[in-house]
Amino acid sequence: MVVALKKNVSEEKRAQLIDWLGGMGIKVHVSEGEFTTVLGLIGDTTKVDKDLIESLDIVDSVTRVSEAFKCCNRKFHPEDTIIDVKGVKIGGGNFCMIAGPCSVETEEQIVAVAKAVKASGANMLRGGAFKPRTSPYDFQGLHARGLELLKIAREETGLPIVTEIMSTNDLPLFEDVDVLQVGARNMQNFEMLKELGKTDKPILLKRGLANTLKELLMSAEYIMASGNEKVMLCERGIRTYSDYTRNTMDISAIPMLHELSHLPVIADPSHATGMARLVPPMAMAATAAGADGLIIEVHNDPMHALCDGAQSLRPEEFDALSKKITAVREASLG
Amino acid sequence: MVVALKKNVSEEKRAQLIDWLGGMGIKVHVSEGEFTTVLGLIGDTTKVDKDLIESLDIVDSVTRVSEAFKCCNRKFHPEDTIIDVKGVKIGGGNFCMIAGPCSVETEEQIVAVAKAVKASGANMLRGGAFKPRTSPYDFQGLHARGLELLKIAREETGLPIVTEIMSTNDLPLFEDVDVLQVGARNMQNFEMLKELGKTDKPILLKRGLANTLKELLMSAEYIMASGNEKVMLCERGIRTYSDYTRNTMDISAIPMLHELSHLPVIADPSHATGMARLVPPMAMAATAAGADGLIIEVHNDPMHALCDGAQSLRPEEFDALSKKITAVREASLG
Amino acid sequence: MVVALKKNVSEEKRAQLIDWLGGMGIKVHVSEGEFTTVLGLIGDTTKVDKDLIESLDIVDSVTRVSEAFKCCNRKFHPEDTIIDVKGVKIGGGNFCMIAGPCSVETEEQIVAVAKAVKASGANMLRGGAFKPRTSPYDFQGLHARGLELLKIAREETGLPIVTEIMSTNDLPLFEDVDVLQVGARNMQNFEMLKELGKTDKPILLKRGLANTLKELLMSAEYIMASGNEKVMLCERGIRTYSDYTRNTMDISAIPMLHELSHLPVIADPSHATGMARLVPPMAMAATAAGADGLIIEVHNDPMHALCDGAQSLRPEEFDALSKKITAVREASLG
Amino acid sequence: MVVALKKNVSEEKRAQLIDWLGGMGIKVHVSEGEFTTVLGLIGDTTKVDKDLIESLDIVDSVTRVSEAFKCCNRKFHPEDTIIDVKGVKIGGGNFCMIAGPCSVETEEQIVAVAKAVKASGANMLRGGAFKPRTSPYDFQGLHARGLELLKIAREETGLPIVTEIMSTNDLPLFEDVDVLQVGARNMQNFEMLKELGKTDKPILLKRGLANTLKELLMSAEYIMASGNEKVMLCERGIRTYSDYTRNTMDISAIPMLHELSHLPVIADPSHATGMARLVPPMAMAATAAGADGLIIEVHNDPMHALCDGAQSLRPEEFDALSKKITAVREASLG
């Protein structure tokens, strides 16, 4: 940690600050420049409150040099993490395509969609059984029954299943689920993250509504520090003042997360845009920017979908997109 | 719900849409203008997916006329809600002052702060025992021990206690707590909101990092629809591109929430700004704008606080502020 | 325009509103539903103040049905606009690559970069002579001398030149420039837009720091309504709370603008990210999402660039990228 | 400027960086810590590109210690600036109240409003003659005629006049205007700022739509560095994802700007909220937070206002508010 002092700070005030830091076991290396004095803090500075020091009237600025995240940091783990979900590999040059309806509705629906997306190249099936809805009056999902239907679809197609968990009280129900999704609204539900860190399930961690990349990585860190290293990061759009799309998809998060972390990065163009007709261009954009996979909503009858029909592709649209994705990926790798 | 169609929509496509709506039990009243055709949807439109209709290529715009929130809506409940916490009244012209340290640290600390803030006019005590921290490596609170210390401070001063709950698994520990706080990061942890709706505890619901007023009200609605009507809304700053403060305190949320809802509105200038020296002006601003109360961090030794010391007032600063708050409130009521 | 009234509005208040609208020459078509009354406003509603009506206490919501933009609206002009700059075509299936340094510095520099980017496939040359800088103490460009150097580079390579104009007082100096760029900070400098609308120069209009797509289109409308229809829209990143990139590049703006307007859409990954190593993935993403062209900063010696060196590619990096762009574009078109 | 290097940087790479800095006349003071090496840059670092250094692969972080703004910086000018507009003092403990219609419409209107607001305590008159409108089809103001009407109102009441200038080509028309307003959309129209810096008119500089405080101060710096030190800063709301108000009024900007700068800070609750009924609470909030003055829209007939009627107070509402403002200001000063 590097602390730059303001001009003309008295010797006494400076000594007080150094004493106080000493009391926390921090050694201070003073570097006096022509215009500024800079303190280099040496020792375990993770306990030092940056905001507090910044708020002192003798301090000009504080910079934390060492990274707050460790387990997910590429600096300490340069190789890409590869996660294996029943033989489907994610990360490290492998590309995965997760597709399926927003909500599981009936056996016919989920099985039909599963077969269709598999035929078009998907290698995992998504489908919501527990749905986070802004309103308590909206459809909340089929719950346990929905999970059963997903397993039937897996049985029929062999596709591993990905579905959202909203409370760790439900963990027993998810025992036979392949990938647990943490939704955007729970990205900083730290108690849940700690609990999921004690399982050995792969976790698809969605970026929160307005969270920074550092916060996303710190949430991954919560899971990993509790013992579970199988985390996939997911960009799904952030909140801005955008007037035509539901969210603004932050495509640059994909290469930036790859630089900061060794974890796989998945992109969700369906939630990021909220409009089916924007899904193909944004899916291709995310692929061109280096995503390790996509998660895309597909419904056989979007007009009658119980949830988020507006952003679902029809199976034939997904099929056309899937082919383009393969071509764009090859072109972007050069 | 009002649906405006695009120009030159064919009779056939329009009929298809009306048929489809009819299949959901919705009657449609067609109003043809010179340039546009407007469909008025009559019946229970809460099930109709606004986004889906908006995404149809024949539709220009969709407006939902009836409100999505009911229990917390002032339209259906014009009188201010007054919440009684062991004799302290909140809302309906009563002003409450909640003060205390960010984290409970020791018995000496919490009792000393409690006595000090009571002497300065506070009528409730805040203090964190379970702390949501961005990093898993930061101090997470004293947990059960912290709750015990809060109760000792209550015993010594008579001040009801307000403290954050992070998982409903901890509910048994909170049985003797007076007000349960839901933190910003859990504002859309819907499973938790439903569980809290089944208790009879007053809930202090903080606005999420980047949530709209409608979303805040919908989260209150989750609690109320489950049976607990004792909800206080809390503005604590929203995330923007601000360069000098941690968040941007949205003071206009205070009068706007009063217009939309009958629930009390509390303001938290400590978290909204992150800097002790901005707390007094922002506390006065929130009061002048009509807040029903304030929640302010006070610590007897901010330099050694285990958490958020930078934003804590010293007891003497709180005392001076408290007097001004009373005067500003009187002046603003005219 | 469609006005939905609140419940239980008195006949008298409703009549007052209708009278007042009548006074502005607006006819009102009343449609009474079970729960709501909806007024359809017929006539020239462009003069009606939507915000004012929305603020009336009897009004629930107001929706403007007809579009505020006309000249740039695809509804009224379904064919793509193709702009011809000395034989280089932009829009309508043509792809343009604009490259060059942030600032023009010396004849050697600009000629060398121009030759290099031409060899790598660029078909226009960019370079700043008038630089908008946040600080008055930063390098502001070579002004008239910079324009002369650009013309020399054009002479040497045949590439048309694109450069920013910051004041219409400078228009005489720009007489022989091929494309005038309006920077993000001047996107709503309406007086300048009107003046540029009176010229016959192609305009590259950059989206403002935090402007919506509608505002960008309205600014294009200012230019077009004054008589100049040769406008290219440019996405260059918007301001958010992003922690690692200068701006957040809104890739979804590209397909959305294509849907709303017939004007060409150019993407600027250099300013959108501020980091050279993010330019290649974001350039490919923008291309995959359907951009009609790219504008990319290239400098032969980024370490010594007078401005924005951090975001400039070296010529060899640009060359490698250019090849990938062509491949990605082909793949995305399918 | 302080540069922290990454771990394990080779001697050679470090030497290269120091050499390169030396070539710009910068001396480097190396401070080697246990984990990090910190370089202190000594000399004129205003020419050093922070972004470029930050982008180097051996660099961890860069902190600029010295401030980029000088003329408007309280560090170098601790006393409050007091601006005198024909005897009305602004700043330094003086409170000014600027009121009037959004647009000047007729002589009757502007004179009537001027007399009314003067009677209620306003000491300056506002009124737009040149109006920046998002759409080219909206009313753009009476231009020269509007300025004449303002002068008539000044003649009748003695109130100095404040009005917006949109192009420096119009400067001759504004010769007899008392305060020139720079609108939010022109806050970074740097050529205009430089021209205004050559006049001796007091400038009311509005914060841009999504600009930071530092950017606002840098724009003030443009004016001051050109020779005109009479600048008032104005907070008028920033763009967020707010769902009920036009903008989010950043009240904390008021005390923060006072800390950073000696310039007066004015608040504009009318544009910040866009709704007349939010103006009184927000005007009181801004006052309680320490604003040096308010600028408020007042219209004698908001329903027929040609522009922004929704946010205008009626004279009797302004009168009631004015009294409360005085009381809140006294209470907040304690």
Side-chain angles (χ1 to χ4, degrees), chain D residues 31-334:
Chain D
S31 152
E32 293 203 53
E34 204 167 341
F35 302 111
T36 333
T37 299
V38 172
L39 310 181
L41 276 51
I42 297 163
D44 178 8
T45 59
T46 57
K47 296 284 159 56
V48 179
D49 183 341
K50 177 170 181 282
D51 291 337
L52 175 58
I53 298 184
E54 219 151 30
S55 75
L56 300 177
D57 58 3
I58 63 169
V59 169
D60 203 86
S61 67
V62 183
T63 308
R64 198 180 275 283
V65 173
S66 53
E67 304 289 339
F69 40 99
K70 299 186 181 0
C71 303
C72 64
N73 198 328
R74 192 177 281 278
K75 283 187 198 165
F76 309 125
H77 184 316
E79 297 293 304
D80 282 354
T81 282
I82 298 175
I83 295 173
D84 187 312
V85 182
K86 290 198 170 153
V88 176
K89 288 190 167 52
I90 302 147
N94 302 286
F95 192 80
C96 80
M97 180 69 96
I98 309 168
C102 182
S103 291
V104 181
E105 295 167 16
T106 63
E107 183 176 331
E108 293 67 38
Q109 173 238 21
I110 189 69
V111 171
V113 175
K115 287 181 175 170
V117 299
K118 186 183 182 189
S120 300
N123 51 10
M124 286 207 266
L125 175 67
R126 60 149 291 149
F130 290 79
K131 303 296 307 169
R133 304 302 299 271
T134 305
S135 166
Y137 309 118
D138 287 345
F139 174 62
Q140 312 263 327
L142 295 184
H143 296 178
R145 174 77 188 138
L147 297 178
E148 289 316 307
L149 298 180
L150 278 170
K151 289 176 204 165
I152 292 171
R154 177 176 62 190
E155 186 89 13
E156 296 272 336
T157 58
L159 296 178
I161 54 181
V162 182
T163 194
E164 178 162 354
I165 184 164
M166 289 178 63
S167 165
T168 48
N169 293 333
D170 297 325
L171 262 175
L173 290 173
F174 284 72
E175 204 155 297
D176 190 26
V177 161
D178 303 303
V179 176
L180 303 185
Q181 177 180 313
V182 176
R185 289 170 188 78
N186 277 318
M187 191 200 92
Q188 293 193 313
N189 179 346
F190 299 124
E191 295 303 311
M192 183 191 236
L193 300 177
K194 285 185 210 168
E195 289 301 310
L196 295 178
K198 294 176 195 156
T199 73
D200 66 347
K201 294 282 185 199
I203 308 292
L204 181 70
L205 178 64
K206 292 202 153 188
R207 180 177 180 184
L209 211 59
N211 285 108
T212 62
L213 300 189
K214 189 176 166 195
E215 287 166 344
L216 172 58
L217 291 170
M218 292 308 295
S219 286
E221 195 79 13
Y222 259 99
I223 299 170
M224 297 172 87
S226 297
N228 180 354
E229 305 220 321
K230 290 182 271 183
V231 180
M232 296 165 247
L233 307 170
C234 181
E235 163 62 29
R236 45 75 74 200
I238 55 172
R239 176 160 282 175
T240 66
Y241 34 78
S242 168
D243 53 347
Y244 284 102
T245 50
R246 187 193 291 178
N247 294 299
T248 297
M249 190 168 186
D250 179 7
I251 296 281
S252 69
I254 298 167
M256 202 67 230
L257 286 171
H258 276 143
E259 181 174 324
L260 295 167
S261 175
H262 50 87
L263 297 174
V265 181
I266 308 295
D268 178 347
S270 305
H271 284 86
T273 62
M275 275 188 283
R277 61 192 190 272
L278 290 182
V279 170
M282 297 310 286
M284 289 191 285
T287 303
D292 295 303
L294 296 169
I295 178 165
I296 293 183
E297 289 195 6
V298 178
H299 197 286
N300 48 358
D301 185 4
M303 284 288 282
H304 288 95
L306 289 176
C307 161
D308 280 342
Q311 69 200 30
S312 292
L313 298 185
R314 289 164 208 279
E316 59 274 21
E317 294 167 328
F318 177 70
D319 189 63
L321 174 58
S322 187
K323 290 183 178 66
K324 285 190 174 185
I325 290 295
T326 306
V328 166
R329 184 165 151 79
E330 272 168 31
S332 70
L333 295 175

Side-chain angles (χ1 to χ4, degrees), chain A residues 178 196-203 227-228 230:
Chain A
D178 303 302
L196 295 178
K198 294 176 195 156
T199 72
D200 66 347
K201 294 283 185 201
I203 308 292
N228 181 354
K230 289 181 273 184

Side-chain angles (χ1 to χ4, degrees), chain B residues 2 4-7 29 31-36 38 42-43 60-61 63-65 67 75-76 239-241, chain C residues 2 4-5 7 29 31-36 38 42-43 60-61 63-65 67 75-76 239-241:
Chain B
V2 178
L5 300 183
K6 286 184 184 165
K7 273 187 182 180
H29 180 284
S31 152
E32 293 202 54
E34 205 169 338
F35 302 112
T36 334
V38 172
I42 297 162
D60 201 86
S61 68
T63 309
R64 197 179 274 285
V65 173
E67 305 288 339
K75 283 187 197 165
F76 310 124
R239 176 160 281 175
T240 66
Y241 35 77
Chain C
V2 177
L5 300 183
K7 275 188 181 179
H29 180 283
S31 151
E32 294 202 53
E34 205 167 341
F35 303 111
T36 332
V38 172
I42 296 162
D60 202 87
S61 68
T63 309
R64 197 180 277 282
V65 173
E67 304 289 338
K75 282 186 198 165
F76 309 125
R239 177 160 281 177
T240 66
Y241 33 78

